[in-house]
Amino acid sequence: MSKSGRTMTRRMHGVLFKFPGMITCNEFEDFILVYLEDELPPAKKRLFELHLKVCKSCRLYLAAYRRTLAATKALQKDYDALEETVPQDLIEAILATKDDKPPR
Amino acid sequence: MDGKSPDKDQRRDLHGTSFVAPDGEFEDIVRGNIAWMLAVARRILRDPSMAEDAVQLAFAKIHRKLEGFEGKSRLSTWMHRIVVNEALMMLRKQKRENVHPIDPLLPEFDANGCRVDDPFTVSETSEDQLQSRQVREIMKEKIDELPEPYRIVLVLRDIEEMPTSDVAEALEMSEANVKVRLHRARAALKKLLEPMMRGGAL
């Protein structure tokens, strides 16, 4: 969509989102984290999902947000690569100091 | 609520093969767990030698307290908390970098509360692609670009998968504040990753 087309859509949305039962993109933004944790109270969840249905910008935004989250979570599985880089002298240092008196 | 979520045990399953019973030899515990503990400390501190120091301090504490370990939580969960705390303590002493404001990275809204950013469609990506070495390197680089107070919350919540309550305690802030920071950190990271997502590389 062209820039002017988007501006037009935004103006229409600006009016639409003031209707009862509607929330703005800004309010939608504030609900995202809790929505993804599935902890939004039912009434707010309905508002959130209705906004999602009518607002393409927020749909695309949420998709990119989810993708970011998935890519971040994929980093959790990054342990194996480190296995070989544990310095042997670190292991020895830890084992050597274990019999020392704890520092006071 | 979040403190009771099962995600913690699922996370620890990643280290499942490294798990050693509390009555195991200390040496076995060190050798079996040092790799992931070093990874945790590196993610928090970003400096390999500081991470090694944090792990050494953590093992000193683990050795001292191992006898008193009552098995209320899994050993690896307990050890995770110890290494996180040691790393955070070192982080506080570190010179603060990356204190630039997060606002330029946050989404913008007009006077009516409508989103004004230039939308784009994310491409289809498989789990394998997300875990490719290239993507993981980009992710680490971009996470490091986040302002420090936001980076640390994202690392502890989304990578280390600590419950909100534990993160709040470790960082001495309210749970509500952890949630606000986490959301902003994710939104800012999304902004930083946008060129890659637009290009279909992520």
Side-chain angles (χ1 to χ4, degrees), chain B residues 94-106:
Chain B
Q94 216 179 25
K95 227 177 134 205
R96 292 194 124 210
E97 301 163 34
N98 257 347
V99 283
H100 55 271
I102 197 160
D103 304 62
L105 296 173
L106 295 181

Side-chain angles (χ1 to χ4, degrees), chain B residues 6-72:
Chain B
D7 65 2
K8 215 174 174 180
D9 279 340
Q10 280 163 11
R11 161 170 60 81
R12 291 280 70 88
D13 284 343
L14 291 169
H15 314 137
T17 50
S18 307
F19 181 74
V20 179
D23 56 351
E25 287 292 312
F26 182 65
E27 183 168 347
D28 290 345
I29 293 180
V30 174
R31 291 189 188 279
N33 296 281
I34 192 165
W36 70 258
M37 285 176 64
L38 203 49
V40 170
R42 279 183 190 168
R43 274 196 282 267
I44 293 172
L45 288 161
R46 289 180 296 165
D47 176 296
S49 69
M50 284 182 85
E52 289 184 19
D53 289 349
V55 166
Q56 197 166 354
L57 289 168
F59 272 117
K61 190 166 274 182
I62 287 162
H63 184 256
R64 282 204 302 280
K65 296 192 170 174
L66 195 58
E67 272 183 46
F69 179 71
E70 289 170 345
K72 278 182 189 159

Side-chain angles (χ1 to χ4, degrees), chain A residues 6 10 18 25-26 29 37 58 61 65 67-69 73 76-79 82 85 87 98 102, chain B residues 15 39 42-43 52 63-64 110 112-115 123 125 136 140 157-159 161 183 186 202:
Chain A
R6 281 205 305 275
R10 213 165 60 228
K18 287 199 174 67
C25 304
N26 205 343
E29 178 79 26
E37 289 176 355
C58 282
Y61 178 87
Y65 185 100
R67 172 65 51 81
T68 301
L69 189 53
K73 298 214 170 207
Q76 285 161 18
K77 291 165 185 133
D78 194 18
Y79 292 112
L82 274 135
T85 62
K98 72 169 173 146
Chain B
H15 314 137
R42 279 183 190 168
R43 274 196 282 267
E52 289 184 19
H63 184 256
R64 282 204 302 280
D110 67 11
N112 289 321
C114 284
R115 212 173 272 288
S123 55
T125 318
R136 289 203 320 249
K140 286 180 192 169
R157 278 291 286 126
D158 285 343
I159 305 179
E161 294 225 298
H183 175 68
R186 288 171 174 176
L202 181 68

Side-chain angles (χ1 to χ4, degrees), chain A residues 17 21-55 58-59 61-63 65-66, chain B residues 115 183:
Chain A
F17 296 160
M22 300 295 287
I23 52 171
T24 64
C25 304
N26 205 343
E27 290 165 313
F28 175 91
E29 178 79 26
D30 293 339
F31 287 171
I32 291 177
L33 184 121
V34 189
Y35 176 78
L36 293 180
E37 289 176 355
D38 203 20
E39 283 175 3
L40 266 190
K44 282 188 173 168
K45 192 174 169 178
R46 273 197 299 278
L47 290 176
F48 185 93
E49 285 173 346
L50 180 60
H51 185 92
L52 200 56
K53 264 192 196 121
V54 296
C55 181
C58 282
R59 269 203 307 281
Y61 178 87
L62 187 64
Y65 185 100
R66 281 180 187 275
Chain B
R115 212 173 272 288
H183 175 68

